[in-house]
């Protein structure tokens, strides 16, 4: 499931910075809606599983100003970096050395946040709440409708290898694959994300289970291998060296993203994969902070003459022009 999740994330090109750029340049929200649909898949499927007596255990964090501040800092860092957690890793697997600088800077920012003298709220570990049957019915209908839409689009290609080997996946298919794979991981091992894995590694609470570190790192390695395989199969791998100014920007963005990940806690991937679906009180305000931080930073960068590449979405596929 980790390998498929990584492959799907690479092919769909989901990115919160891209979502903000789309809203800023074309005034549409296809990419942002896809992130929310991915969270919706997780919420719906865990609710259905819970209805059959297998309640999922989630860690919920209270809403604080610190979590919103963390989201804003993460958003500023992601805008400077030019990508959030998902896109940073997928583009790094495409050979962008600048994004590897970002990845190397994440733990530095996380360490800075852990040594700052500030009080952090205690999380509450609770099982997934029971939804009213009418909510379950609506979730099931939404899942069925989305599945039919995806199946119809794929059916036009007829051959399986053309579907799986498509150079770019539709946003709906990518969101569905990420959501479904994540639900299987949650039900098998507990909540997991790239950011939470690193937080567990440095001994910081993340909202995910840190009880099986070897398994968590195995899932992460599988996801990265899925991205590498996608890059090689598509032929998009190419080593790209950043300019000094760009390298500095990636490093600064990575440090801010690391600080924000600890304060939230969890990066935008953790919020999408398990915090928002579990209805954690801090999740939506913190994600709004992430998106607001990205939007404000991109707007300031554009005001100072930096060109923000327009994002055009057509046929459920978005491309940066």
């Amino acid at each position: 499931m980790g390998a498929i999740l990584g492959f799907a994330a690479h092919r769909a090109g989901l990115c919160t910075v891209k979502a903000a750029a789309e809203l800023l340049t074309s005034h549409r929200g296809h990419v942002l809606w896809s992130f929310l649909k991915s969270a919706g898949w997780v919420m719906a499927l865990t609710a259905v599983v819970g209805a059959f007596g297998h309640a999922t255990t989630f860690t919920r964090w209270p809403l604080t100003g610190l979590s919103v501040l963390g989201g804003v800092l993460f958003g500023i860092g992601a805008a400077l970096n030019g990508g959030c957690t998902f896109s940073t890793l997928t583009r790094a697997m495409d050979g962008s050395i600048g994004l590897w600088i970002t990845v190397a800077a994440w733990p530095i920012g996380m360490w800075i946040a852990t040594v700052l003298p500030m009080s952090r709220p205690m999380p509450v570990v609770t099982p997934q709440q029971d939804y009213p049957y009418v909510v379950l019915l609506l979730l099931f209908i939404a899942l069925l409708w989305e599945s039919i839409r995806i199946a119809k689009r794929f059916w036009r290609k007829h051959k399986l290898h053309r579907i799986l080997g498509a150079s770019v996946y539709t946003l709906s298919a990518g969101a569905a694959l990420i959501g479904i794979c994540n639900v299987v991981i949650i039900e098998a091992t507990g909540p997991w994300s790239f950011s939470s894995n690193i937080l567990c590694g440095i001994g910081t609470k993340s909202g995910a289970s840190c009880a099986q570190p070897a398994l968590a790192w195995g899932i992460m390695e599988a996801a990265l291998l899925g991205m590498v395989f996608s890059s090689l199969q598509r032929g998009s791998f190419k080593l790209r060296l950043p300019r000094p100014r760009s390298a500095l920007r990636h490093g600064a963005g990575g440090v801010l993203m690391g600080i924000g990940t600890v304060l939230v806690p969890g990066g935008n991937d953790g919020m999408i994969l398990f915090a928002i679906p579990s209805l954690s009180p801090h999740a939506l305000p913190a994600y709004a902070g992430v998106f607001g931080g990205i939007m404000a930073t991109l707007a300031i960068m554009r005001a100072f003459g930096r060109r923000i590449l327009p994002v055009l979405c057509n046929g459920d596929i978005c491309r940066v022009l």
Side-chain angles (χ1 to χ4, degrees):
M1 292 298 102
I4 298 173
L5 187 151
F7 187 94
H10 186 271
R11 287 298 165 98
L14 294 175
C15 174
T16 306
V17 176
K18 185 190 291 186
E22 182 197 5
L23 192 62
L24 200 62
T25 58
S26 62
H27 309 294
R28 295 185 177 183
H30 294 90
V31 181
L32 178 61
W33 178 237
S34 298
F35 269 115
L36 297 179
K37 282 200 292 186
S38 188
W41 274 95
V42 179
M43 178 187 290
L45 292 178
T46 53
V48 170
V49 172
F52 286 92
H54 190 279
T56 306
T57 299
F58 287 107
T59 300
R60 293 184 173 90
W61 296 79
L63 172 61
T64 64
L66 200 61
S67 60
V68 177
L69 173 62
V72 173
L73 291 176
F74 185 95
I76 294 172
L80 290 175
N81 176 56
C84 59
T85 305
F86 282 107
S87 59
T88 294
L89 292 172
T90 55
R91 287 162 57 198
M93 296 304 112
D94 271 337
S96 175
I97 305 300
L99 276 302
W100 279 110
I101 296 175
T102 306
V103 174
W106 282 345
I108 298 174
M110 292 177 184
W111 177 81
I112 292 173
T114 56
V115 300
L116 292 175
M118 60 180 69
S119 60
R120 295 178 176 86
M122 293 300 294
V124 177
V125 180
T126 58
Q128 174 76 347
Q129 67 185 60
D130 294 328
Y131 296 100
Y133 285 111
V134 64
V135 175
L136 281 177
L137 179 61
L138 291 175
L139 288 173
F140 178 78
I141 292 174
L143 277 179
L144 184 61
W145 176 256
E146 184 72 1
S147 300
I148 292 173
R149 287 182 63 250
I150 295 172
K152 281 184 176 179
R153 190 180 297 274
F154 277 2
W155 183 254
R156 296 170 190 164
K157 295 181 180 292
H158 298 292
K159 294 182 179 180
L160 185 63
H161 73 274
R162 289 186 61 192
I163 296 172
L164 299 180
S167 60
V168 179
Y169 281 9
T170 63
L171 295 175
S172 297
L177 282 172
I178 291 172
I180 293 170
C181 292
N182 183 50
V183 168
V184 177
I185 293 172
I186 288 174
E187 297 300 332
T189 68
W192 172 91
S193 72
F194 295 104
S195 298
S196 66
N197 208 41
I198 301 175
L199 289 175
C200 287
I202 64 173
T204 302
K205 295 183 182 296
S206 64
S209 174
C210 301
Q212 303 180 72
L215 179 58
W217 283 105
I219 296 172
M220 184 169 181
E221 290 169 4
L224 294 177
L225 286 174
M227 294 177 183
V228 170
F229 178 76
S230 173
S231 178
L232 295 176
Q233 193 273 337
R234 187 171 66 180
S236 57
F237 180 83
K238 182 181 179 182
L239 287 177
R240 304 171 183 87
L241 291 174
R243 296 178 178 178
R245 182 179 295 181
S246 179
L248 182 62
R249 182 165 46 82
H250 286 302
V255 170
L256 286 174
M257 291 168 72
I259 295 173
T261 297
V262 173
L263 298 184
V264 168
N268 72 310
D269 56 333
M271 283 185 273
I272 293 295
L273 294 178
F274 56 80
I276 293 177
S278 69
L279 302 181
S280 180
H282 83 294
L284 280 175
Y287 192 76
V290 171
F291 201 78
I294 295 173
M295 288 286 291
T297 304
L298 291 181
I300 292 172
M301 292 168 66
R302 186 167 67 173
F304 278 88
R306 183 178 180 84
R307 181 171 178 259
I308 306 300
L309 295 177
V311 178
L312 180 63
C313 296
N314 184 30
D316 205 22
I317 292 176
C318 293
R319 302 182 187 276
V320 180
L321 302 181

